[in-house]
Amino acid sequence: MINKDKIERINFLARKKKAEGLTAEELEEQQSLRAEYLEAVRANLKSQLDSIEIMSPDYEESYTEEDKTHIAEMNEKLAVEYEDAKRKERMSITEAGNPRKPQGEAGKMMIERMNESHAEMTAWALDKLDLKPTDKVLDVGCGGGAALKRLSGRIDGGKLYGIDYSEVSVEASKELNKADIESGKMEIHQGSVSKMPFEDNQFDAIITVESYYFWPDLEEDMREVFRVLKEGGTFMLIAEMYLNDDLDEHHIEMARKFELRNLTVDEFKALFEKTGYKETKIHLKDGKYWICVEGKK
Ligand SMILES: C[S@@+](CC[C@H](N)C(=O)[O-])C[C@H]1O[C@@H](n2cnc3c(N)ncnc32)[C@H](O)[C@@H]1O
């Protein structure tokens, strides 16, 4: 049961983390309190939704015009409140789970949610990736492993690799792709993009989804990806947003809150050229801020 004392303790730990950092025990306590808090938010949201009575359209004929206007206004208000509550819930899971390096129970929950929330964008981008069934493909910052699972259907005779420096992400990717790992079709490694445990010129294709925001030294890390890519191979960088004049408040807030790197289209082009890619193609999705940058070595 989350009570006032626990909320105060959560706030105290958050302030202390900012000011001077937390001990290992305090970090563990913080994660467990946050997980408990998120459960309580969920339960609360669910009970609010369960108590909403949906009016049957059969009665509509007996409504006065005034009733109808009132119902329409209430529905609109509820829809806005519901979307807002969902966004807040997503934000608090992301915050507790730490997208930079997923950790603890909240990290597991966040990664599970990302597997779903990134699915449409990942499918949109990966459909553009030219692959042969016998290709060797690497996913950098593989998170919960959903992109690898998606690619598995296109690989036959080739092999898939994932790498992520978060233990929680590696475990989640392994769990989701158990059968492919057992059959030898996939390997998941724990390690940083900055120093990958792969020989030069290994992969026909390398992808990264929603991860470059956090890489410690972008130019150096791009060179490390380039090193392990085969001559003629493709590197595909996929991100939910890029910096542009139309970016909405929500994305600006996300970038600020999670200290996300955010490049413009021109900066992406320059970065890929500087890394050594011979050809760079940029795909943008209409009505979204999605970007998919393809570089050919
Ligand atoms: C926002 S999650 C995205 C996960 C997944 N690609 C997806 O689309 O759902 C970012 C992932 O990148 C990983 N990551 C961030 N920096 C990394 C680095 N320097 N080396 C390896 N992985 C990194 C994080 O651990 C995390 O799993």
Side-chain angles (χ1 to χ4, degrees):
M1 177 73 177
I2 201 89
N3 55 26
K4 190 164 161 278
D5 288 348
K6 285 189 179 168
I7 299 272
E8 273 168 13
R9 182 72 182 155
I10 290 172
N11 290 337
F12 167 78
L13 290 171
R15 282 196 300 277
K16 182 164 183 250
K17 190 175 182 186
K18 249 192 187 159
E20 58 190 276
L22 297 179
T23 63
E25 290 87 57
E26 284 171 333
L27 272 174
E28 210 170 292
E29 184 191 352
Q30 186 188 42
Q31 276 180 26
S32 126
L33 281 170
R34 278 176 162 175
E36 202 180 328
Y37 172 71
L38 289 175
E39 256 327 299
V41 171
R42 280 232 174 86
N44 185 19
L45 182 64
K46 187 172 179 313
S47 74
Q48 280 184 38
L49 292 176
D50 287 348
S51 67
I52 293 171
E53 205 177 312
I54 308 287
M55 295 192 183
S56 159
D58 291 349
Y59 298 119
E60 256 179 34
E61 279 163 21
S62 62
Y63 293 158
T64 63
E65 281 312 307
E66 201 183 336
D67 286 342
K68 284 184 189 164
T69 313
H70 179 65
I71 289 169
E73 279 169 7
M74 289 299 290
N75 281 346
E76 212 170 290
K77 194 163 164 263
L78 271 177
V80 170
E81 277 174 14
Y82 179 62
E83 279 311 313
D84 194 45
K86 270 205 319 198
R87 199 176 11 248
K88 281 195 183 124
E89 194 209 5
R90 276 202 302 270
M91 198 70 134
S92 51
I93 293 180
T94 307
E95 213 176 339
N98 186 12
R100 179 170 296 273
K101 192 170 191 179
Q103 60 199 22
E105 279 309 308
K108 276 190 209 161
M109 268 161 60
M110 178 192 66
I111 273 180
E112 251 174 50
R113 181 183 58 70
M114 282 181 180
N115 274 350
E116 286 169 27
S117 62
H118 297 166
E120 196 188 336
M121 174 187 64
T122 307
W124 164 78
L126 292 184
D127 277 355
K128 305 175 196 317
L129 183 64
D130 192 18
L131 279 186
K132 289 192 295 302
T134 50
D135 279 348
K136 206 168 158 184
V137 186
L138 169 67
D139 181 3
V140 180
C142 56
L148 287 165
K149 194 169 181 69
R150 180 176 293 279
L151 288 173
S152 175
R154 293 168 63 183
I155 296 298
D156 183 9
K159 192 158 174 180
L160 292 152
Y161 294 76
I163 186 164
D164 200 298
Y165 70 171
S166 147
E167 194 179 335
V168 169
S169 295
V170 167
E171 285 313 310
S173 283
K174 283 186 177 167
E175 185 60 34
L176 188 72
N177 294 288
K178 216 172 175 171
D180 277 344
I181 291 170
E182 278 170 9
S183 74
K185 185 178 177 181
M186 193 186 293
E187 281 179 22
I188 309 286
H189 294 258
Q190 186 171 359
S192 169
V193 61
S194 310
K195 198 171 188 304
M196 293 191 281
F198 306 119
E199 302 283 308
D200 294 358
N201 306 316
Q202 280 296 299
F203 298 99
D204 299 284
I206 302 180
I207 64 158
T208 188
V209 188
E210 289 285 89
S211 181
Y212 96 97
Y213 309 120
F214 310 108
W215 294 358
D217 181 339
L218 188 56
E219 287 193 8
E220 271 300 310
D221 298 336
M222 286 287 290
R223 275 196 281 279
E224 176 66 354
V225 170
F226 193 78
R227 175 184 75 75
V228 300
L229 186 64
K230 274 186 194 166
E231 206 64 45
T234 300
F235 172 47
M236 179 176 271
L237 183 152
I238 304 164
E240 206 172 45
M241 71 170 157
Y242 60 97
L243 190 60
N244 66 89
D245 294 341
D246 299 330
L247 206 57
D248 65 3
E249 272 306 310
H250 169 66
H251 285 87
I252 293 170
E253 167 67 1
M254 293 284 284
R256 192 197 55 74
K257 195 166 190 141
F258 299 113
E259 298 174 359
L260 305 180
R261 177 182 286 118
N262 201 5
L263 300 189
T264 63
V265 168
D266 286 345
E267 286 170 335
F268 272 119
K269 273 189 197 145
L271 175 70
F272 273 63
E273 269 162 33
K274 189 168 180 197
T275 308
Y277 289 99
K278 288 186 196 130
E279 271 174 50
T280 306
K281 265 195 243 167
I282 307 249
H283 309 275
L284 304 175
K285 169 87 173 159
D286 280 349
K288 305 266 186 191
Y289 302 110
W290 300 351
I291 185 163
C292 164
V293 190
E294 272 186 282
K296 201 166 200 104
K297 182 167 170 184

